[in-house]
Amino acid sequence: MAGPRYLRLAEALKADLERGLLGRVLPPERELARALGVSRSTLRRALDLLEAEGLLTRRQGSGTYAAQRATFQARLQGFTEEMEALGFKPSTRLLKGERARATPEEAFHLRLSPGEEVWRLERLRLADGEPMALERASLPAWALEALPEGSLYQALEARGLRPARALQRLRAVLAKEEDALLGVPPGSPLLHLERVSYLADGRPIEFVKSRYRGDRYELLVELR
């Protein structure tokens, strides 16, 4: 393979990471450089590239870690179900919850009349204790008697209101200061997701805006 040695090394390490050959925690730089037969400066340049691609995470005084990335298949599930299916331990921190009059945007997407109310939730979603997404969800007031303490989708299912389909849009954005709870600096890549979920009878049940960390989230879509 042609090219500078650190590029060749980065490609080799990337392949090993994708196959899980390096484990969750990489050996110390000195040991890894010795095992690979390269200088520490060459190794550092290769690791810099992999970190920039979101494949590695360096923690001062702790070490270098293979980034854990959640790969979602395009199917309708709640965050809790998705994380559990992928082997992560999901948790949620409720930042804000209220019942209030719908904004024009909420009324449009949820097909509400002027003056109708919604349940509005702002939550920080975590996987294995690390921030994954900031989520702002709105539901018609008739959908719930009170805000659930656990999974929103499980609460809806208990009332016979499980979403049956959804329309979802995804686009790349840059993190702003308001995204600081995600643990990334301003300017970091994020994925902005907007979804409207519907019941089997066609009624909208949920309008969601989420901002996912670009280094921890990817979407897998099967095309037929």
Side-chain angles (χ1 to χ4, degrees):
M1 183 186 302
R5 190 173 190 183
Y6 74 93
L7 289 179
R8 301 198 304 271
L9 178 60
E11 287 297 323
L13 289 173
K14 180 177 180 179
D16 287 345
L17 284 168
E18 291 174 344
R19 291 196 295 266
L21 299 180
L22 295 179
R24 176 74 177 106
V25 184
L26 273 66
E29 285 186 6
R30 187 184 302 277
E31 294 180 17
L32 187 56
R34 185 184 305 116
L36 295 171
V38 299
S39 67
R40 291 184 68 182
S41 62
T42 297
L43 175 63
R44 286 197 188 107
R45 294 186 72 180
L47 296 179
D48 287 343
L49 288 176
L50 298 177
E51 185 177 24
E53 287 189 41
L55 298 174
L56 292 177
T57 300
R58 282 158 156 168
R59 299 177 187 170
Q60 186 69 32
S62 178
T64 302
Y65 297 79
Q68 288 185 295
R69 187 174 289 216
T71 301
F72 296 89
Q73 294 189 355
R75 59 178 180 268
L76 183 56
Q77 288 182 307
F79 180 87
T80 298
E81 295 169 320
E82 289 176 327
M83 290 297 106
E84 289 176 343
L86 291 165
F88 291 91
K89 182 179 179 181
S91 57
T92 297
R93 187 185 308 166
L94 180 63
L95 305 176
K96 183 179 181 181
E98 62 179 358
R99 179 168 173 163
R101 181 174 297 183
T103 65
E105 183 182 35
E106 290 168 332
F108 173 78
H109 287 291
L110 296 173
R111 299 179 192 164
L112 302 176
S113 301
E116 285 195 73
E117 293 187 333
V118 297
W119 287 107
R120 194 176 295 138
L121 301 87
E122 183 173 346
R123 298 178 290 179
L124 178 66
R125 314 307 297 264
L126 304 102
D128 288 348
E130 293 192 27
M132 175 69 77
L134 275 173
E135 180 184 276
R136 296 173 176 87
S138 304
L139 298 92
W142 51 260
L144 296 168
E145 294 181 355
L147 292 178
E149 294 184 1
S151 168
L152 177 60
Y153 271 34
Q154 289 176 9
L156 290 173
E157 187 168 15
R159 292 173 57 83
L161 298 174
R162 175 80 184 195
R165 69 180 184 90
L167 292 177
Q168 184 167 286
R169 292 184 176 88
L170 191 68
R171 69 176 187 271
V173 298
L174 297 179
K176 301 178 181 179
E177 291 186 3
E178 63 198 52
D179 300 310
L181 285 176
L182 287 173
V184 295
S188 299
L190 301 178
L191 290 172
H192 179 86
L193 178 152
E194 290 189 19
R195 182 178 71 241
V196 180
S197 301
Y198 301 87
L199 300 175
D201 62 11
R203 287 179 295 167
I205 190 66
E206 177 194 39
F207 172 51
V208 180
K209 289 184 177 182
S210 301
R211 294 168 80 84
Y212 280 80
R213 283 178 52 166
D215 62 339
R216 301 203 69 206
Y217 176 94
E218 61 184 18
L219 184 68
L220 176 64
V221 180
E222 181 178 358
L223 303 177
R224 295 174 181 262

